[in-house]
Amino acid sequence: GAVVSQHPSRVICKSGTSVKIECRSLDFQATTMFWYRQFPKQSLMLMATSNEGSKATYEQGVEKDKFLINHASLTLSTLTVTSAHPEDSSFYICSARDPGFGNQPQHFGDGTRLSIL
Amino acid sequence: AQKVTQAQTEISVVEKEDVTLDCVYETRDTTYYLFWYKQPPSGELVFLIRRNSFDEQNEISGRYSWNFQKSTSSFNFTITASQVVDSAVYFCALSEEAQGAQKLVFGQGTRLTINP
């Protein structure tokens, strides 16, 4: 079964709306989670590293005020796209690794397809 | 900086043919991991394999096989006797350690179409 749950799977909303996406680790605690973005027919690009209890680390070119990340607990990271516009339409996907199994690869959520009208 | 190159943007073959997806990487790290993921049209990433930089043994899993060559910085993926269900976008990725976790650098992806 899924070890990383992402919700919602799809969002369609009007321009100017803020959208929150949740990423939960199931059955394990994740001090670090990652958020990726994928535009149509393109690769996945890391947006930011979400750190439990501290500020997220953003990749170059990603606006931290636009993409708010909160990692308030060891099992939940949220990505909020503030005042979303059509150019923010994309596929957002999170990942986490179970630190209890140090040699295991990270797990990905099923992704959130965001469409801004 | 880390970089992954998948030079083949799209590949189309007829069912039952063998197909190889190329992956070339760049890194200055001596310890790293390489991955292959499958992304079907539904969007989720399906983990296929992870390879440690110190383990150059080739691996076979059913119809899938991987050839890791550090000398050429390549980690190629071969599907034998391809099937229509293998149609997807395949990503090669390289890990970079970040605070004990692993953030991934992805290649551009190869869209594989298997025709009946």
Side-chain angles (χ1 to χ4, degrees), chain A residues 3-7 21-25 32-37 44 46-48 50 75-79 91-97 106-112, chain B residues 45 106:
Chain A
V3 293
V4 173
S5 173
Q6 193 170 336
H7 178 80
I21 303 170
E22 294 186 348
C23 181
R24 292 182 187 274
S25 57
T32 303
M33 293 184 177
F34 299 102
W35 286 97
Y36 295 84
R37 178 171 56 184
L44 291 89
L46 180 68
M47 297 176 65
S50 175
T75 60
L76 174 64
S77 174
T78 61
L79 168 68
F91 187 65
Y92 293 87
I93 192 166
C94 68
S95 72
R97 190 175 75 172
Q106 57 184 285
H107 303 283
F108 282 87
D110 285 346
T112 297
Chain B
L45 285 177
F106 285 86

Side-chain angles (χ1 to χ4, degrees), chain A residues 31-32 34 36 38 41-46 49 51 57 59 91 93 95 97 102-111 113, chain B residues 10 33 35 37 39 41-45 47 50 52 89 91 96-109 111:
Chain A
T31 55
T32 303
F34 299 102
Y36 295 84
Q38 184 183 28
K41 296 191 176 183
Q42 294 189 26
S43 187
L44 291 89
M45 299 297 292
L46 180 68
T49 303
N51 307 301
T57 305
E59 296 298 303
F91 187 65
I93 192 166
S95 72
R97 190 175 75 172
N103 221 20
Q104 293 300 309
Q106 57 184 285
H107 303 283
F108 282 87
D110 285 346
R113 202 166 297 279
Chain B
E10 295 190 27
Y33 289 92
F35 302 78
Y37 287 90
Q39 188 178 42
S42 49
E44 76 275 15
L45 285 177
F47 169 78
R50 184 183 72 161
N52 183 302
V89 180
F91 289 98
E96 180 179 327
E97 286 295 322
Q99 297 139 322
Q102 292 178 329
K103 61 179 183 180
L104 299 182
V105 174
F106 285 86
Q108 300 91 322
R111 183 175 299 275

Side-chain angles (χ1 to χ4, degrees), chain B:
Chain B
Q2 309 223 341
K3 184 179 179 182
V4 177
T5 301
Q6 293 177 256
Q8 304 149 308
T9 306
E10 295 190 27
I11 298 176
S12 181
V13 300
V14 177
E15 201 173 17
K16 297 184 183 178
E17 285 186 23
D18 299 346
V19 58
T20 296
L21 283 61
D22 298 333
C23 174
V24 175
Y25 63 93
E26 296 176 30
T27 180
R28 292 183 180 177
D29 293 344
T30 54
T31 302
Y32 52 89
Y33 289 92
L34 293 162
F35 302 78
W36 275 95
Y37 287 90
K38 174 183 181 179
Q39 188 178 42
S42 49
E44 76 275 15
L45 285 177
V46 178
F47 169 78
L48 297 177
I49 191 172
R50 184 183 72 161
R51 173 61 75 222
N52 183 302
S53 56
F54 295 109
D55 182 3
E56 285 194 72
Q57 278 193 337
N58 292 332
E59 180 152 340
I60 299 174
S61 177
R63 295 184 297 107
Y64 295 170
S65 62
W66 291 269
N67 185 314
F68 176 29
Q69 304 227 345
K70 285 181 78 170
S71 60
T72 56
S73 298
S74 65
F75 186 43
N76 297 337
F77 172 34
T78 298
I79 301 175
T80 303
S82 60
Q83 300 176 2
V84 173
V85 293
D86 296 327
S87 298
V89 180
Y90 290 85
F91 289 98
C92 180
L94 173 67
S95 70
E96 180 179 327
E97 286 295 322
Q99 297 139 322
Q102 292 178 329
K103 61 179 183 180
L104 299 182
V105 174
F106 285 86
Q108 300 91 322
T110 297
R111 183 175 299 275
L112 178 63
T113 302
I114 310 298
N115 299 300

